[in-house]
Amino acid sequence: MKVILVNGSPREKGCTYTALCEVADALEKNGIETEIFQVGAKPIAGCIGCNVCLKNGRCFVDDPVNEFVEKAKTADGFVFGSPVHYAAASGAITSFLDRAFYGKGNVFAGKPGAAVVSCRRGGAASAFDQLNKYFTINSMPVVSSQYWNQVHGNTPDEVRQDAEGLQTMRTLGSNMAWLLKCIQAGAAAGITFPEREPAMKTNFIR
């Protein structure tokens, strides 16, 4: 089994990366393969709702989003990490996720997801809440920890001093590994993901 951890920070090995590494280490210790996917420092275009991806399976903007979606098809779980910018997830990861998830529920449904946020001091709760919404609208089990999945620090060295935050990351990794193994055991016993009804849309203004 494999989990992809997405680093939504423009800094390749900054605070968010430090937190994700702690999660990845716990997953690896539990026999789960991991890969940290870097969104990068280049601009990520937002979704314009053109529906091109619904027709050919790829966004017309050829950037890391397309690469990630291809990897996501064979992944078993996901952790999305972001620094906190103005009490919200970074603009890069927001644009990234808007396009990665748009019209691709079949890629993510039934696969566990978790969010991780990194902040200097405040705003973590609202950024954490924002990221979790991508999971809950795509039939993904949301993995929790012993506290909200956040670390504090202005530098990687400061994050490494956040003992509670790092423990929260390790617990998150262990919990995700446990859930993945439960899903695998259930599948081996013939328990499959529920069949979905055809989507229904209700428009309130007619």
Side-chain angles (χ1 to χ4, degrees):
M1 291 179 287
K2 181 176 181 178
V3 170
I4 299 178
L5 302 94
V6 177
N7 182 3
S9 170
R11 293 184 173 87
E12 185 175 0
K13 295 189 176 180
C15 297
T16 304
Y17 173 83
T18 304
L20 291 175
C21 283
E22 202 75 8
V23 182
D25 286 347
L27 285 163
E28 294 277 356
K29 287 177 181 177
N30 282 278
I32 309 297
E33 181 185 350
T34 64
E35 175 185 349
I36 295 182
F37 186 93
Q38 178 69 28
V39 171
K42 294 182 179 179
I44 299 290
C47 181
I48 61 173
C50 66
N51 292 336
V52 168
C53 65
L54 302 184
K55 299 173 184 176
N56 60 21
R58 290 176 61 85
C59 181
F60 78 95
V61 180
D62 195 16
D63 63 8
V65 173
N66 283 332
E67 180 186 356
F68 167 73
V69 171
E70 284 304 308
K71 289 177 178 285
K73 292 175 182 177
T74 57
D76 300 286
F78 306 92
V79 180
F80 296 100
S82 175
V84 174
H85 293 169
Y86 293 96
S90 71
I93 191 98
T94 300
S95 295
F96 182 92
L97 293 177
D98 283 353
R99 288 170 48 218
F101 276 86
Y102 183 75
K104 303 177 190 71
N106 61 319
V107 175
F108 299 98
K111 298 179 180 181
V116 165
V117 294
S118 169
C119 67
R120 182 191 69 83
R121 187 171 179 86
S126 53
F128 180 59
D129 176 64
Q130 176 187 342
L131 293 175
N132 278 307
K133 289 183 170 68
Y134 290 94
F135 315 140
T136 57
I137 202 172
N138 282 281
S139 297
M140 299 173 68
V142 182
V143 185
S144 62
S145 184
Q146 66 195 55
Y147 196 76
W148 296 295
N149 306 334
Q150 61 191 39
V151 295
H152 289 77
N154 205 39
T155 65
D157 284 339
E158 289 182 0
V159 170
R160 294 185 190 103
Q161 297 176 54
D162 180 7
E164 183 177 357
L166 293 183
Q167 186 179 64
T168 301
M169 297 300 110
R170 292 192 297 273
T171 301
L172 174 62
S174 296
N175 287 354
M176 175 165 275
W178 169 79
L179 182 55
L180 286 169
K181 291 175 183 179
C182 287
I183 292 172
Q184 185 183 57
I191 302 171
T192 58
F193 188 71
E195 184 178 346
R196 298 179 66 177
E197 297 180 7
M200 300 178 65
K201 302 286 186 180
T202 301
N203 297 323
F204 296 103
I205 300 176
R206 301 182 183 277

